[in-house]
Amino acid sequence: MAGATVIKSEDGGVTWNPKTRIDDKKTITGVNVLSMAINPADSNVVYIGTEENGLFVTKNGGETWEPVAFANKVYGLLFDSQNPNIMYGSGVFNKRAKIYKRLEEGQEWKEIYTEPSEGTTVSALALDKNNPEVMYAGTSEGVILKTNDSGKTWRNLKKAGGPIISIAFDSNSSDHVFFGIFQKGVLETNNAGETINDINEKMGNSWGSMSVYTIVSDPYLSGVIYVGTEKGIYRRSQDEKWSELNIIESSKAFPIRAIAINPGNSKEILYSSAKAIYKSTDSGATWATVQLDTAKEISVLRYDNANQPKIYAGLRKF
């Protein structure tokens, strides 16, 4: 477990086991995981994107991994929910940030977007589950982009005041999208990107100038999102009011980098802080804790939509 870069739970987060084997001689213990995508049609197929080592895939639920020819710094990974043969990924190739598309397992990845110069990453991707031709992308320079034709053409929507670290669709409306801005807060559109508004002021004094690390939307309740910050988790309710989630106080001393909501039961919430995982089954009123005996910290948490007791976590050095 000490060198784990991917861990897996098969009992809803009670116990976790490392999943790092390539073969009898090689492992993925040296990688830093930035992103993860689980195939919606076959949850034994999981991809991880890494900081310097490109892309890896498992086809047997994490028992073994194999490298996939791709760029490095893979911040974004997405399956088309209506056609899981299709995948999208963002990476850096020859120092240029790019977005790629793959039409079928084993086929070559085709470039569908490129940045004009070095030094930028495409740091966030989000695909509309109702219309997978629609995708949003965000860059480390704060640029928010959108395509309505699966990446053939792109439209510039906004230049935010910091890196785009997370993009989340509202559970009930494809026109309603949230954007997490590192060190700045949260932006929101209710009209598919025609206007994008800053909603930080609605948080009042509780927000301050805290850094945002991740945002996730409730899979059932429209308008509800959870925001992981450097000092805790904030929740926006359906009436657009913000409140601080009553997480374990000691965990607020570390950034909340990963949050996951059970897609079958949104009262079940997972988050990570430093070397521990926290789980609530009552919307955050009480929490169970699990110690991580790892050298790295969790960067990604993902439920298996088809089998929700199965949960994957990716780890990296910060």
Side-chain angles (χ1 to χ4, degrees):
M1 182 66 91
T5 48
V6 176
I7 58 176
K8 179 182 181 182
S9 175
E10 301 194 49
D11 54 13
V14 177
T15 59
W16 296 82
N17 293 295
K19 299 293 180 182
T20 60
R21 183 174 177 269
I22 294 178
D23 55 33
D24 290 338
K25 296 182 179 180
K26 298 178 183 177
T27 70
I28 57 169
T29 55
V31 309
N32 287 313
V33 177
L34 303 180
S35 55
M36 180 183 293
I38 302 173
N39 188 317
D42 181 359
S43 58
N44 284 318
V45 178
V46 182
Y47 281 79
I48 57 168
T50 72
E51 186 175 30
E52 297 293 344
N53 302 91
L55 195 60
F56 291 85
V57 63
T58 177
K59 298 178 182 178
N60 52 17
E63 295 307 311
T64 57
W65 296 87
E66 58 186 88
V68 177
F70 198 75
N72 58 15
K73 287 193 183 300
V74 190
Y75 279 95
L77 276 179
L78 299 170
F79 276 99
D80 181 330
S81 61
Q82 297 184 16
N83 182 359
N85 286 322
I86 297 174
M87 280 193 74
Y88 296 89
S90 66
V92 175
F93 182 72
N94 287 338
K95 300 183 179 181
R96 298 281 185 92
K98 299 177 184 291
I99 302 174
Y100 297 91
K101 180 179 181 179
R102 188 208 71 189
L103 295 177
E104 192 171 341
E105 184 73 45
Q107 285 193 359
E108 183 181 354
W109 293 77
K110 301 291 186 181
E111 179 186 313
I112 58 172
Y113 174 81
T114 185
E115 278 288 288
S117 62
E118 301 175 5
T120 304
T121 60
V122 177
S123 46
L125 294 177
L127 196 65
D128 184 353
K129 65 181 180 181
N130 299 311
N131 179 6
E133 290 191 345
V134 174
M135 180 167 60
Y136 292 84
T139 77
S140 56
E141 295 298 313
V143 176
I144 300 174
L145 306 162
K146 181 184 180 182
T147 177
N148 289 315
D149 53 17
S150 300
K152 294 184 180 70
T153 61
W154 294 87
R155 178 186 173 194
N156 186 78
L157 297 182
K158 189 178 180 69
K159 177 70 163 62
I164 314 299
I165 49 84
S166 196
I167 304 172
F169 279 90
D170 183 84
S171 60
N172 291 338
S173 173
S174 295
D175 292 342
H176 195 183
V177 187
F178 299 91
F179 306 89
I181 315 301
F182 183 61
Q183 294 183 328
K184 296 293 181 180
V186 182
L187 306 180
E188 175 186 32
T189 179
N190 286 292
N191 52 16
E194 292 303 313
T195 57
I196 299 178
N197 301 310
D198 188 326
I199 59 174
N200 300 324
E201 68 276 2
K202 296 180 181 178
M203 294 191 72
N205 294 329
S206 62
W207 184 266
S209 59
M210 288 183 290
S211 296
V212 172
Y213 287 92
T214 186
I215 59 173
V216 296
S217 58
D218 188 293
Y220 291 102
L221 300 177
S222 179
V224 176
I225 61 169
Y226 294 82
V227 181
T229 76
E230 64 181 349
K231 294 181 180 178
I233 299 175
Y234 291 83
R235 180 183 186 271
R236 195 183 88 152
S237 63
Q238 289 184 286
D239 59 4
E240 299 186 5
K241 294 181 179 179
W242 289 91
S243 61
E244 185 177 1
L245 210 63
N246 188 28
I247 65 174
I248 302 299
E249 188 67 28
S250 57
S251 70
K252 296 179 185 178
F254 307 94
I256 310 302
R257 302 184 189 274
I259 305 171
I261 313 295
N262 186 328
N265 173 17
S266 62
K267 291 184 178 181
E268 183 174 307
I269 305 166
L270 286 177
Y271 77 91
S272 64
S273 172
K275 302 296 177 65
I277 296 174
Y278 300 80
K279 178 184 177 181
S280 174
T281 57
D282 51 18
S283 300
T286 60
W287 299 91
T289 67
V290 178
Q291 177 180 327
L292 294 177
D293 296 316
T294 59
K296 300 179 180 182
E297 297 178 21
I298 289 178
S299 55
V300 184
L301 279 168
R302 292 284 186 272
Y303 276 90
D304 180 340
N305 284 358
N307 188 353
Q308 288 137 27
K310 291 185 179 181
I311 310 166
Y312 290 87
L315 294 88
R316 62 170 293 196
K317 289 183 178 178
F318 289 96

